[in-house]
Amino acid sequence: MVNLEWYRTFKAIYKTGTLTGAADSLFISQPGVSLHLSSLEAYVGYKLFDRTGRKMMPTERGKVLFNAISEPLTKLEDVEKNFQKSTEKHTPTISVGMCFETFQTTLEQYVSTLPFNLIISFGEYPEMLDQLDKGILDLIITPKKGVSPNILHEAFSSEQIILVGGKDIDTESFLETLQSKGIEHAEEWLKQEKWYGTTGDMEHLFQFWILNFGHKPNFRPNYIVPNLNSIIRCLKGGTGLAVVPDFLCKNEIENGEVKLIWEGEKKLENTLYFGCRKNTNYQTEIDHIKGLFRKMMSKKEGENSEIKI
């Protein structure tokens, strides 16, 4: 089924004559307008506009389609206006991509205070970078920088990837094995324990293992759960190991509910970046969200930043 927003975008391009004009009238990005138009043209199977310089000239088929949808679409827009809860000026809608755990531990508590509409998207980082470049997302929080010349990356914080376990794990036995018998025996010790992983990305575990043992882990986690926050809750049961970002379990470690087992002989740290397009209609809203993240990170750094065994 065709997306109604494609028709709305098509009508805006027809009326304004430019992609920029359509984007301004709809309060969306120009790449988003282009994506809607190309999707509609692919759906109907023919060109709707000829691009002549900066002007978008409707083709004959484009004119026919406009005449067919213009009146029904206007009626739907009138219905929408009549059912709106307020007559305030249009509120911008910002689409932001990040991992689920980052949202839960940072932005979630501020959502109800935002003076604009918000759509949160979860996914893999390469996919989010691609959607940002296409204008589907307006801002992403990512530990990976893309290569598109249209995207700006701004470092704002970092995370350390650590090995943690339940409170009943014999930490002293592991450290003694590591110190007296070396890294190979320490690896074997770890593999004898029960491990937690997620249904999604296992990159934290892979990176940590390669950095400290020189190869990918040659075992599969015993328990696969939906996300990293689920792992932390499971570890409170007393047993099991997992490799996770430190900010997710800082409070649990300080409260003795989870143990820091090992930071690794070589510490694994990821830089976190804001990613946004160079040209955006939502700079004010994006800066607002960035400010909330900086506020959270500053608060965390103001607390005890070092976790001791």
Side-chain angles (χ1 to χ4, degrees), residues 179-192:
Q179 293 166 6
S180 62
K181 297 183 179 181
I183 195 74
E184 292 183 2
H185 286 84
E187 180 183 15
E188 291 302 316
W189 190 99
L190 293 173
K191 287 163 58 176
Q192 302 307 310

Side-chain angles (χ1 to χ4, degrees), residues 118-163:
L118 178 71
I119 300 174
I120 293 292
S121 177
F122 305 126
E124 303 296 331
Y125 295 121
E127 178 187 6
M128 288 195 289
L129 283 164
D130 182 61
Q131 291 180 340
L132 176 65
D133 194 28
K134 290 179 178 178
I136 300 172
L137 295 175
D138 301 298
L139 174 70
I140 63 173
I141 312 301
T142 173
K144 295 185 177 180
K145 296 173 68 173
V147 296
S148 171
N150 301 319
I151 297 177
L152 292 173
H153 292 88
E154 178 187 355
F156 71 94
S157 186
S158 64
E159 61 182 10
Q160 184 180 342
I161 309 304
I162 57 176
L163 172 64

Side-chain angles (χ1 to χ4, degrees), residues 19 141 170 279:
L19 297 178
I141 312 301
D170 188 354
N279 298 313

Side-chain angles (χ1 to χ4, degrees), residues 21-33:
D24 291 342
S25 66
L26 294 171
F27 294 91
I28 63 176
S29 66
Q30 184 172 323
V33 169

